[in-house]
Amino acid sequence: MKMKSKAAIMLIVLIAIASIFSLALPRKSNDLPDDFIQVKRDMDKGILYGVCDLKEDYWNRPEFYPTWEKYRSQTHDFSRWGVTGFGAFPSLISYNVKDMKAGDRLETCTYVRSGWNIETFQGLHLNMDHDQSKFDVNIIPGDLLLSPTYPELIEGWTNKVKITIVAKEDIKGTYNFRLRGESPSPEKTKEYYNRVMNMKDYPFYECGWFDSKCNEDIVELRKKTYYNGGTFQADKFFDIEVIAH
Amino acid sequence: MTKEGKKNMNKIRTIMAMLIVLLVANIMTFPVSAYDANSPYTVTVNYIVPNDTTFTVTLAGAESSIDFNPGNRNSTNVEPDSQNAGGSTPIATIVNTGNIPQTFGVNITSAQYAWVAVTLSNSNDYSNPITLSATKQTPTGWSSISAAASIDAYMKADFTDAPGGTLSKTMEINSSVS
């Protein structure tokens, strides 16, 4: 009888410990595609030439991004919170084009995601700095609502962004295109804000029983936060280089 | 030919006619391609840089902006809400969550008000401060930040005959590859 009680107590303690860890760590996705490691290998080496052809099963996984393993096991500092941050992977693609004439197009992609440990929803408008006299550029999607990456990765934390460059005239020389993350328009901001405020049942952090450092009032104030992105931004986000012969 | 055979033949003719119409419509609808058989347009990937340029900005407490609340119109050394330099709690930390070293800079997007001076330092003793302006500056300690490393922003403001009400400026923190 005593043995059974001890076993039961041990089981309860183990479940409690597991619960604490499951709250402290972001979710790790399972069921990776069979050739995920090979695709990631080529992506990390910069030899995955069909960047736009990647299926969602690959780019919508945290393991696809080179820094995930480092961050997923970090201890969370509850005295602070991740308010904003984003970036792109890959950060630069260079193309050689030959005999690009008016109407010819070039399509490329990158994957724009929230920084790790971000607890807010971030609105972002994507814009491209480029030579407008020679090229038209179309970015899809042009606006993003990036979801949090903490305490869990919420659908929308990463997005495939497709960029189409169309020549306006015959092209020779080297041209640079620089993606920028800016604040969305007032209309889009309102739309995103309302979308976040009307969200239900998405995961957010709750103070655990043994979490003496966690302040429930502060945690409550952090929920359902929409942040207009673009005020903090990286000069180096996503660049395209076109070398035209 | 049987009646059934004629019916089938008519069906085939109808389908053929529709296909021809569709083909002509396609040719007319699509823009004329710039393709030239003598000098065809070709695209090849030169190289891909598999760098991740992501960063994360954390703020103290539950702040989602940096707010200074001076006690009067001529307050000095005012810390933003939730910052506690004495307790080594900066208002903001910037974490390089990418995989390449980055250098961070800071500026406000328009000229600072004449009645306030905001200084920023990487240290809680406010050593080597910069005064925020519309010109991008890199504070001491913010250069060549390696992946997973972080920098701090300790801020304070001096007010001189400040007007009443809430006024704001947009602050940009920029990163560039070191």
Side-chain angles (χ1 to χ4, degrees):
Chain A
M1 192 63 185
K2 274 184 181 175
M3 284 292 283
K4 275 184 182 174
S5 301
K6 275 184 182 174
I9 291 165
M10 283 291 284
L11 190 66
I12 290 165
V13 170
L14 281 172
I15 290 169
I17 291 169
S19 302
I20 292 164
F21 274 95
S22 68
L23 280 173
L25 299 177
R27 182 185 63 194
K28 185 180 186 299
S29 56
N30 298 313
D31 307 323
L32 296 172
D34 289 343
D35 62 349
F36 184 86
I37 289 170
Q38 291 75 26
V39 170
K40 181 173 161 48
R41 174 198 64 198
D42 290 352
M43 188 73 182
D44 290 345
K45 283 183 177 176
I47 56 170
L48 187 80
Y49 298 112
V51 177
C52 279
D53 302 330
L54 270 177
K55 291 191 174 69
E56 192 172 341
D57 248 10
Y58 296 82
W59 59 261
N60 203 10
R61 306 276 183 165
E63 294 88 345
F64 178 70
Y65 300 89
T67 48
W68 165 250
E69 289 302 327
K70 192 176 281 184
Y71 286 96
R72 74 183 191 88
S73 56
Q74 281 187 348
T75 312
H76 196 72
D77 175 5
F78 295 104
S79 69
R80 320 191 58 79
W81 67 315
V83 174
T84 182
F86 57 89
F89 179 64
S91 64
L92 168 65
I93 304 182
S94 173
Y95 292 95
N96 278 316
V97 300
K98 189 169 168 289
D99 295 307
M100 190 178 204
K101 300 176 188 69
D104 284 336
R105 59 183 57 210
L106 188 159
E107 285 181 348
T108 190
C109 295
T110 192
Y111 299 90
V112 175
R113 67 169 177 87
S114 282
W116 302 130
N117 292 326
I118 295 291
E119 295 179 56
T120 66
F121 291 85
Q122 301 174 83
L124 210 58
H125 174 70
L126 299 177
N127 207 350
M128 185 72 87
D129 289 340
H130 67 285
D131 186 341
Q132 295 182 15
S133 67
K134 295 194 182 298
F135 300 96
D136 282 328
V137 170
N138 187 30
I139 305 167
I140 297 174
D143 289 282
L144 292 172
L145 181 61
L146 292 172
S147 301
T149 51
Y150 191 85
E152 287 191 17
L153 302 168
I154 297 177
E155 189 63 33
W157 67 276
T158 184
N159 291 262
K160 179 180 187 173
V161 172
K162 187 175 179 181
I163 296 148
T164 306
I165 296 168
V166 184
K168 286 180 167 178
E169 57 184 63
D170 293 2
I171 302 296
K172 296 280 181 215
T174 300
Y175 296 89
N176 294 298
F177 301 76
R178 173 157 284 195
L179 193 68
R180 286 176 60 81
E182 302 171 346
S183 295
S185 66
E187 297 75 29
K188 208 72 189 169
T189 297
K190 191 178 168 192
E191 178 198 320
Y192 285 158
Y193 176 81
N194 287 335
R195 200 189 296 177
V196 171
M197 291 308 282
N198 290 322
M199 276 180 183
K200 286 179 182 142
D201 302 328
Y202 77 86
F204 42 76
Y205 184 78
E206 296 280 14
C207 292
W209 288 356
F210 308 106
D211 199 348
S212 58
K213 286 182 180 172
C214 187
N215 181 322
E216 282 186 16
D217 293 337
I218 286 179
V219 165
E220 203 59 36
L221 285 170
R222 291 175 180 174
K223 291 175 186 172
K224 283 195 177 186
T225 300
Y226 169 75
Y227 187 88
N228 228 10
T231 50
F232 295 88
Q233 56 181 286
D235 281 353
K236 195 80 179 166
F237 183 21
F238 176 62
D239 291 348
I240 304 162
E241 181 185 59
V242 174
I243 303 167
H245 304 281
Chain B
M1 193 178 286
T2 62
K3 221 176 186 179
E4 196 62 28
K6 272 184 184 173
K7 258 187 181 174
N8 285 338
M9 189 56 82
N10 282 339
K11 273 183 188 169
I12 290 166
R13 278 180 186 150
T14 309
I15 291 166
M16 288 289 283
M18 282 170 74
L19 281 173
I20 289 165
V21 168
L22 280 173
L23 192 64
V24 171
N26 265 332
I27 291 166
M28 290 174 72
T29 311
F30 281 89
V32 176
S33 166
Y35 178 80
D36 175 349
N38 295 321
S39 53
Y41 167 53
T42 57
V43 179
T44 51
V45 175
N46 198 18
Y47 56 84
I48 299 171
V49 178
N51 286 341
D52 184 334
T53 56
T54 318
F55 64 95
T56 292
V57 178
T58 72
L59 297 181
E63 306 298 333
S64 56
S65 58
I66 300 171
D67 302 329
F68 295 93
N69 289 301
N72 59 58
R73 298 176 64 208
N74 293 292
S75 298
T76 56
N77 295 325
V78 179
E79 288 191 84
D81 295 349
S82 297
Q83 176 178 294
N84 177 10
S88 297
T89 301
I91 180 61
T93 63
I94 299 118
V95 188
N96 178 1
T97 50
N99 62 349
I100 42 168
Q102 296 190 62
T103 290
F104 293 90
V106 62
N107 63 276
I108 47 178
T109 55
S110 58
Q112 184 60 284
Y113 300 116
W115 42 265
V116 66
V118 178
T119 52
L120 184 153
S121 168
N122 189 48
S123 307
N124 68 337
D125 60 2
Y126 299 106
S127 55
N128 303 309
I130 59 151
T131 302
L132 273 187
S133 71
T135 306
K136 181 178 157 184
Q137 299 172 81
T138 296
T140 301
W142 282 30
S143 298
S144 301
I145 305 305
S146 54
S150 65
I151 50 175
D152 295 328
Y154 288 94
M155 298 170 76
K156 61 179 180 176
D158 291 339
F159 294 86
T160 309
D161 294 330
T166 302
L167 292 159
S168 65
K169 287 281 175 189
T170 300
M171 189 172 96
E172 281 183 342
I173 289 181
N174 301 278
S175 73
S176 54
V177 174
S178 299

